[in-house]
Amino acid sequence: MILATTVNDVKEQVKVWRALGLSVGLVPTMGYLHEGHQSLIKRAVEENDRVVVSVFVNPIQFAPNEDLESYPRDLDADCRLCQETGAAMVFHPEPSEMYAEDFTTFVDMTGVTKELCGKSRPTHFRGVCTVVNKLFNIVTPDRAYFGQKDAQQLAVIRRMVRDLNMNLEIVGCPIIREADGLAKSSRNTYLSDEERKAALVLSKAIFAGEKLIKDGEQDGEKVLAAMREIIEAEPLARIDYVEMVKWDSIEIYHRADVPVLVAIAVYIGKTRLIDNFIAE
Ligand code: AMP
């Protein structure tokens, strides 16, 4: 497996693959890889001749008060996981390789970025869209893989690709969970033992909401109230949002009679965790 740190090295290698007529898949990540990321890489390896995994903690998607500095990093372990899973290349650039000092071009969106995480983190998706756009231009993949764990991000990227006529397919992959239900996340490492237990309210609320809709409840207010009650019973939990939106447009919509995304963001102590389900 190749470890590339410069844009030029990636472009040169992709050129070689293209000359051989090989297809290329891309899995963008911020590293500290776990089985959630690995499921994306596996799927990409199944569907493409060569797979590039980017490992880049993208500074411009973090607000000044967020966890850019403390975000967990372990490149050696990430490379081992990528190699074992069949990736052909890890792309791990320094921030200065991606952003020149006089970098001034951003990809911004409206609408789909207005609610949920876009509301709590107003500059987040501009950073995500910009870096994903750059990665698409550097790797020129046939397919790129994103987890439903970050459901709004998946919707945002799909919309960006459609709106800007980008030449690739976006593949969404299901949420991978710990045995007890907690969605796998690099940020779970921030949790103390006590917080780890408390964090189970997220998946409990998600499963309860999902079951209510499956059993026929269409009233979004009732579903959201039941979910809030579960989370509020946990003293270490503080709700950022518990919301229901249309899955394609991410507009607030409180009736489960069209495909809806029910998404939550909850602070457990200082750690902000997200989870969701889609009811179609
Ligand atoms: P991150 O490194 O957190 O930026 O995540 C990189 C990619 O992996 C994103 O597309 C995430 O949605 C996806 N991902 C992260 N955690 C999970 C999970 N538990 N299940 C499925 N996909 C995930």
Side-chain angles (χ1 to χ4, degrees):
M1 192 189 68
I2 302 161
L3 174 59
T5 56
T6 68
V7 170
N8 202 43
D9 283 353
V10 179
K11 286 188 171 176
E12 288 302 316
Q13 185 57 55
V14 171
K15 235 187 246 170
V16 172
W17 290 335
R18 289 286 175 216
L20 294 168
L22 301 172
S23 62
V24 179
L26 170 68
V27 182
T29 82
M30 296 207 299
Y32 215 72
L33 304 179
H34 51 65
E35 286 158 33
H37 302 107
Q38 193 172 25
S39 71
L40 272 55
I41 303 169
K42 271 189 194 149
R43 174 98 185 257
V45 167
E46 280 164 23
E47 297 178 354
N48 301 274
D49 297 317
R50 294 290 181 273
V51 170
V52 178
V53 180
S54 59
V55 172
F56 180 58
V57 183
N58 175 35
I60 68 166
Q61 71 189 63
F62 289 79
N65 61 330
E66 292 180 349
D67 57 343
L68 172 62
E69 295 307 323
S70 58
Y71 197 85
R73 292 160 166 92
D74 188 345
L75 183 62
D76 289 344
D78 290 347
C79 286
R80 278 198 299 278
L81 182 143
C82 288
Q83 180 151 28
E84 279 164 24
T85 316
M89 177 190 277
V90 166
F91 176 42
H92 177 63
E94 287 297 320
S96 57
E97 177 70 11
M98 294 293 272
Y99 301 110
E101 249 168 60
D102 56 352
F103 184 91
T104 46
T105 309
F106 296 88
V107 179
D108 214 347
M109 287 175 70
T110 55
V112 273
T113 56
K114 182 167 163 255
E115 305 293 346
L116 310 181
C117 288
K119 202 171 200 169
S120 325
R121 307 179 72 191
T123 57
H124 174 66
F125 286 115
R126 173 175 120 130
V128 169
C129 290
T130 302
V131 80
V132 167
N133 213 310
K134 284 171 68 70
L135 291 168
F136 287 175
N137 287 334
I138 295 164
V139 179
T140 61
D142 299 283
R143 294 173 202 85
Y145 296 78
F146 292 86
Q148 189 204 305
K149 162 83 192 331
D150 300 271
Q152 186 176 19
Q153 171 174 279
L154 175 58
V156 162
I157 300 293
R158 282 203 168 122
R159 181 63 67 90
M160 176 182 80
V161 164
R162 191 206 69 182
D163 285 355
L164 299 182
N165 309 100
M166 295 177 168
N167 291 317
L168 79 164
E169 183 192 341
I170 299 302
V171 182
C173 302
I175 301 176
I176 305 296
R177 298 177 179 280
E178 303 287 354
D180 62 3
L182 179 67
K184 285 187 185 266
S185 165
S186 309
R187 289 192 168 97
N188 291 349
T189 52
Y190 296 148
L191 301 170
S192 68
D193 290 350
E194 196 189 358
E195 288 171 342
R196 172 67 182 76
K197 280 182 205 136
L200 276 184
V201 288
L202 280 97
S203 52
K204 265 192 209 154
I206 289 297
F207 298 152
E210 202 168 17
K211 182 166 186 315
L212 274 173
I213 293 182
K214 208 169 166 197
D215 291 348
E217 183 59 76
Q218 288 208 326
D219 184 342
E221 305 288 348
K222 284 192 184 148
V223 173
L224 297 175
M227 293 173 65
R228 274 195 200 102
E229 200 179 311
I230 291 171
I231 300 166
E232 282 164 358
E234 170 51 60
L236 292 180
R238 183 169 58 83
I239 291 175
D240 177 3
Y241 63 76
V242 174
E243 225 1 309
M244 182 184 282
V245 297
K246 287 188 182 173
W247 172 218
D248 55 348
S249 62
I250 316 289
E251 290 165 292
I252 304 287
Y253 187 74
H254 287 178
R255 220 161 161 84
D257 58 356
V258 298
V260 286
L261 164 68
V262 179
I264 65 179
V266 177
Y267 284 93
I268 302 292
K270 284 188 178 144
T271 305
R272 183 176 175 279
L273 300 175
I274 56 173
D275 203 343
N276 68 80
F277 69 93
I278 294 164
E280 292 188 277

